[in-house]
Amino acid sequence: NKAMGILSSLKRRLNYVVVKPLLYHQEVADAYSGVSVVDGKLKGKTVVVTGATGGIGRAIVKRFLLEGCQVIIIGRDIEKLNHLQESLPDQEKLITCITMNMQDANDVKEKTIAILHHHSVDVWVNCAGVFKNKDRFPVFRSYPQQDFLEVMNTNLKSCWLICRLIAAYMKTNDSYCKVINISSICGYAKSYGYTGYGMSKAGLIAMTRVMAEEYQEHMAIIGIAPGSVATSMGERQLGDNIAVGGNMIIKHIGMPEEIATLVAFVAGDIALSGKTIIASADEIL
């Protein structure tokens, strides 16, 4: 009885919320794959998605296929690309799979130019990114230089190159394209300002703002900064509990399908060029 009394006293003093488990099952993910989020306005559009084999990338590809788009998927590993292609329900809408090494500026330039010349690209989603184990901690002096360069080249430099090439091509051909850069809450969070990942995402946010103004006549460029998402990078997978404490508005870690829905919504009809949308559920910055 005394122990129960102490426990009751502690409960009254502590601010806590009891959260029931929310398992990230395929049925939950599929609930976001029902209808168009832009009333079919993207149907027939050609969309390019880099980092297509990652957790968020796969969800984005599936969402654009659902919207009736033709999709070009880009990744580092051809086997993963082929596996993704085989798993998609609307394979006939998938134009092609292309490998691209984000560490190699020449490869990025060569293949981006080839895609732009052979396809009438309407939307380009820069979703490729790397996150090192060191990035889980607010380190700076002990961050390996090679890791730093790999993160910066993949998360920032490749996007910079791609955006410049898209803008130049659209200007030459008097065309227009919408670019969506997948950033991260880490680009705003102070603790991640000490990591290569956080710096790269902060740079991407700034780049999105500057390039939107510079290339506004031929390119809209919008950022989306997800918070915690149920992916391997976020140390979550199908079947895991994604419920969190009561400080989160939606009471669960974000799902890739939620981010993908936002990407399609932004690609459809929203004029937010230069802005980066924080796609997070009240996480502390």
Side-chain angles (χ1 to χ4, degrees), residues 243-260:
V244 295
N247 67 311
M248 303 279 269
I249 295 172
I250 56 174
K251 303 294 191 296
H252 71 262
I253 290 170
M255 293 183 285
E257 291 74 20
E258 292 176 304
I259 304 302

Side-chain angles (χ1 to χ4, degrees), residues 61-92:
V61 171
K62 291 178 180 178
R63 164 50 63 178
F64 278 116
L65 288 174
L66 185 150
E67 294 289 345
C69 300
Q70 294 179 305
V71 184
I72 298 170
I73 59 175
I74 296 176
R76 290 179 296 177
D77 190 323
I78 189 60
E79 291 185 4
K80 289 183 178 180
L81 286 170
N82 290 336
H83 178 71
L84 172 61
Q85 183 175 11
E86 292 169 1
S87 68
L88 295 171
D90 299 314
Q91 294 184 34
E92 70 278 2

Side-chain angles (χ1 to χ4, degrees), residues 95-126:
I95 298 175
T96 186
C97 303
I98 297 174
T99 58
M100 186 181 289
N101 181 5
M102 298 300 176
Q103 299 294 308
D104 185 344
N106 290 327
D107 192 49
V108 172
K109 290 179 182 178
E110 178 185 328
K111 290 177 179 175
T112 298
I113 291 172
I115 291 170
L116 293 171
H117 276 81
H118 290 93
H119 305 278
S120 180
V121 177
D122 299 292
V123 179
W124 188 298
V125 183
N126 285 314

Side-chain angles (χ1 to χ4, degrees), residues 50-52 74 102 125-130 154-156 158-159 182 201:
T50 73
I74 296 176
M102 298 300 176
V125 183
N126 285 314
C127 191
V130 292
T154 301
N155 299 359
L156 181 58
S158 66
C159 294
I182 305 301
K201 294 302 185 179

Side-chain angles (χ1 to χ4, degrees), residues 79 110 139 152 162 210 227 259 270:
E79 291 185 4
E110 178 185 328
V139 299
M152 282 293 179
I162 289 169
V210 173
I259 304 302
I270 301 299

Side-chain angles (χ1 to χ4, degrees), residues 194-226:
Y194 292 92
T195 72
Y197 186 80
M199 291 179 198
S200 69
K201 294 302 185 179
L204 187 59
I205 293 166
M207 187 202 83
T208 297
R209 182 177 63 253
V210 173
M211 280 193 167
E213 183 175 349
E214 183 175 356
Y215 301 124
Q216 58 185 306
E217 293 183 8
H218 297 283
M219 181 174 72
I221 177 169
I222 302 165
I224 292 177

